[in-house]
Amino acid sequence: MENKLLINGGRKLFGEVRVDGSKNSFLPIMAGCLLAEDDFCLNNFTHIEDLKAMTEILEVLGCKINCDKASLYIDTKHSNNAKITHELTQKVRASIFLLGPLLAKFRSCVVAYPGGCNIGARPIDIHLKGLRSLGAKIIEKHGYIYCFGENLHSAEIVLDFPSVGATESLMLCATLIEGETILKNVAREPEIEDLQNFINTMGGDIRGAGCDQIVIRGVKKLHGCTYDVMSDRIIAGTYLLAGAMCGGDVLLDGAIAEHNECLLALLNQTACQIDVLGDKIRLRADKRLSSISEIKTMPYPFFPTDLQAQMMALQTVCEGASVIYETMFENRFGQVMELKKMGADIVVKGQTALIKGVKTLYGADVFATDLRAGASLVLAGLKAEGYTTVHNIEFIDRGYEKIEEKYSLLGADIKRI
Ligand code: EPZ
C-alpha cells in the first residue's frame, strides 16, 4: 500500500521543534566505527531510512547493533566480513564510505557500486583515485569494486573537486595508515569536521577539517567511544524555509546557526525576522516576502545544494523573480514539474531555473522524485490553498523522520495516509 502525505495548506506555522541528528554526519561516522573492534554509542540518532540501510550493511559485516529513541549502539568486536553486495549498496549512496575503513582494516574488500537519489551520475572517480594514491590496487568489474591494500602508504593528495564523500573516504582510510597523509582541495562541510572529531575521539589524529587542507597522522589502533553527532543543518534549513514560506513564528531547538550562515544571510535580506540564541534559531515572518534575485549552489560555506529545492519552493510564492543555478548535480530539478502543477511559474534551461513569484499555489497530487525534491513539495503543500497529496514519500523518509509529526508540532495540517 503506497504511503502518501495529505496536506491541508494555507496555515501559518507556530511552535518549537527539535532538530534531529545529521544524516550526513551519521553515515560516515557509522562507517568509521569499523576502524576499531569495540563498542560505540552514537547520540542524537534519528530513525530514517538511510540510517536503517547503513545499519543493515554493518550487520552484514558482522556488527551487532541496537538502538533506542535517541542513541545507536554499535558493537564492532566481531566485524569479520568485507564484502557488500548490490542488494545492500543500492539502498544508500553512503555505502561508498565503507571502502576506506574496510580497506584500512582488512587490507582488502569488495563493495558493489553505491545507490542513492537519482540527482545525477554521481561518479566515484575521486574516491577511487584518492585510494589508489594511498597505494590501493582497485579493479572495477561487473558493478563491483575489488580493493587490495597490502601496500597502503601515506601520501599527499589533491582532490580534483572538493567532494564531501571522497574527503570522508580518504580520512577514514588514512587514519590507520602509518605516516602523515595530507589531503588538499577538500570539502569543508560541517559533516567533515564532525567526522574528524569522531575519529579523534576514537584515538585518531586528524587536523584541519573545515579548512582546505586536512592532515591525518596514522595510528596503530583505535578504540570505541560515545559521541554526540551534530544536528542536521539541512533539516534545520528546511524548517526555516517552511516558516519563511508559510509565515508565523518558528523556534528551532538544537540548531547550529553557523552551519546555515549562507541561508540565514539570504533570509535576512527578506522581511523575515531571525534571532539566534545559542542553539536556538527563531524565525518570524508575517507577510509575503520579496524574491531573492540569485541563488547559486556551491560547496560549503556557500549555499547548499541540499536546500535548493526547498528554497525554490519559497521563491515560487515571493514577490518578484529569482534565478537558481544548480551547479553541484546535473539532475536536481525534479521538483519543478510538480511545483508547476501547483501553479508555480518556473522555466528551466539546463542547470538554471527562472522563478516568477505567484500570489497563490493550489493543492494538487504531486510526486517526489528524490529526497529534497520531496521536502520541497511538502513545503509547497503547506503553503498552497486546498489539499495536496504528496506521493512517493519513501524518498522523504530517507532523510526526514516522521516529517508529518514534526510539522504538525508547528501547527500544520499534515497526515500520512
Ligand atoms: C554528499 O554527497 C551528501 N550526501 C549529499 O547530500 C550532498 O548533496 C553532497 O555531499 C554535496 O554537498 C552524504 O553526505 C551522504 P559530493 P556526495 O561527492 O558525497 C561530483 C542529501 O540530500 N563527484 O560532494 O555524493 C558529484 O557528481 C544528499 O542529503 C565526482 O565527480 O557529494 C557532484 O557533482 C544528496 N566524483 C559533486 O562532485 C566523485 O568521485 C559533489 O559531490 C565524487 C563526486
Side-chain angles (χ1 to χ4, degrees):
M1 171 75 171
E2 184 211 3
N3 265 338
K4 296 176 277 209
L5 290 172
L6 179 63
I7 304 168
N8 179 14
R11 300 157 76 115
K12 291 193 172 190
L13 301 178
F14 294 92
E16 180 173 349
V17 68
R18 181 146 188 88
V19 180
D20 294 329
S22 166
K23 166 178 86 78
N24 291 349
S25 250
F26 257 100
L27 289 165
I29 284 174
M30 287 170 72
C33 294
L34 288 168
L35 290 168
E37 296 181 0
D38 210 337
D39 293 303
F40 294 85
C41 169
L42 304 180
N43 295 321
N44 229 356
F45 184 59
T46 174
H47 295 261
I48 54 176
E49 290 309 309
D50 270 12
L51 298 191
K52 194 162 144 245
M54 185 57 109
T55 300
E56 287 167 12
I57 291 175
L58 292 181
E59 284 173 333
V60 165
L61 295 176
C63 301
K64 290 190 178 56
I65 299 187
N66 284 301
C67 65
D68 57 28
K69 182 151 179 22
S71 300
L72 182 69
Y73 305 94
I74 302 177
D75 167 358
T76 60
K77 293 194 283 296
H78 309 285
S79 61
N80 50 15
N81 175 11
K83 178 169 182 179
I84 308 167
T85 61
H86 277 295
E87 293 73 27
L88 289 164
T89 59
Q90 275 314 303
K91 291 182 184 176
V92 62
R93 160 90 185 166
S95 46
I96 190 69
F97 293 143
L98 293 152
L99 268 189
L102 292 175
L103 195 52
K105 186 172 164 188
F106 294 108
R107 302 286 154 157
S108 82
C109 64
V110 183
V111 179
Y113 268 92
C117 281
N118 55 353
I119 54 177
R122 306 190 79 176
I124 56 171
D125 55 316
I126 302 174
H127 294 249
L128 301 186
K129 187 175 172 187
L131 292 172
R132 286 185 171 110
S133 304
L134 292 172
K137 184 162 169 279
I138 296 177
I139 300 163
E140 299 171 73
K141 206 163 72 175
H142 309 322
Y144 277 84
I145 307 159
Y146 296 82
C147 301
F148 307 94
E150 288 81 13
N151 311 309
L152 292 179
H153 54 73
S154 59
E156 183 167 317
I157 302 169
V158 182
L159 275 66
D160 295 341
F161 181 86
S163 153
V164 171
T167 303
E168 292 165 338
S169 279
L170 297 175
M171 286 166 73
L172 287 164
C173 188
T175 293
L176 288 179
I177 296 176
E178 192 184 350
E180 183 173 273
T181 292
I182 299 174
L183 305 179
K184 294 185 173 180
N185 191 33
V186 291
R188 297 167 51 190
E189 273 71 1
E191 292 78 17
I192 309 284
E193 212 162 334
D194 217 20
L195 179 63
Q196 169 181 282
N197 297 341
F198 170 71
I199 292 173
N200 289 344
T201 310
M202 287 173 73
D205 181 353
I206 304 183
R207 299 277 174 271
C211 306
D212 57 9
Q213 175 170 314
I214 295 176
V215 180
I216 303 122
R217 289 192 184 85
V219 295
K220 286 214 175 339
K221 201 168 163 42
L222 295 161
H223 53 73
C225 64
T226 293
Y227 188 76
D228 296 338
V229 176
M230 71 181 207
S231 70
D232 193 309
R233 60 191 170 99
I234 304 303
I235 288 183
T238 307
Y239 283 128
L240 292 169
L241 286 160
M245 192 165 175
C246 299
D249 186 345
V250 170
L251 179 64
L252 303 189
D253 190 15
I256 306 169
E258 69 178 275
H259 290 176
N260 271 308
E261 247 168 30
C262 188
L263 171 66
L264 292 172
L266 288 173
L267 291 178
N268 272 319
Q269 288 170 23
T270 68
C272 291
Q273 192 180 335
I274 294 168
D275 303 292
V276 176
L277 209 66
D279 72 347
K280 293 182 191 303
I281 303 176
R282 184 180 182 188
L283 180 140
R284 282 170 282 182
D286 58 9
K287 56 175 182 282
R288 188 182 183 201
L289 303 181
S290 51
S291 299
I292 295 168
S293 55
E294 187 174 308
I295 295 137
K296 186 174 183 182
T297 65
M298 293 282 284
Y300 192 89
F302 299 105
F303 190 82
T305 176
D306 292 350
L307 286 177
Q308 176 264 112
Q310 302 92 308
M311 173 59 90
M312 183 183 285
L314 168 61
Q315 295 308 307
T316 66
V317 293
C318 287
E319 186 159 7
S322 172
V323 178
I324 295 183
Y325 301 99
E326 172 50 70
T327 70
M328 298 292 283
F329 291 104
E330 63 272 27
N331 183 28
R332 203 162 200 183
F333 283 152
Q335 69 280 1
V336 169
M337 286 309 292
E338 305 306 307
L339 291 171
K340 287 166 72 110
K341 286 181 190 172
M342 301 175 75
D345 179 349
I346 307 170
V347 173
V348 169
K349 285 253 179 303
Q351 302 298 104
T352 303
L354 171 63
I355 302 108
K356 287 195 186 113
V358 295
K359 273 210 172 58
T360 313
L361 291 177
Y362 299 94
D365 272 83
V366 289
F367 295 77
T369 52
D370 59 75
L371 165 56
R372 307 300 174 184
S376 152
L377 299 178
V378 170
L379 267 53
L382 293 174
K383 177 67 181 174
E385 259 183 31
Y387 284 90
T388 296
T389 303
V390 182
H391 298 256
N392 301 342
I393 60 172
E394 62 278 8
F395 284 113
I396 301 173
D397 292 339
R398 298 182 60 159
Y400 295 85
E401 182 182 356
K402 300 193 178 87
I403 194 166
E404 72 279 8
E405 290 182 15
K406 304 286 170 58
Y407 280 83
S408 298
L409 288 176
L410 297 175
D413 180 353
I414 175 173
K415 49 178 83 66
R416 189 174 291 250
I417 54 172

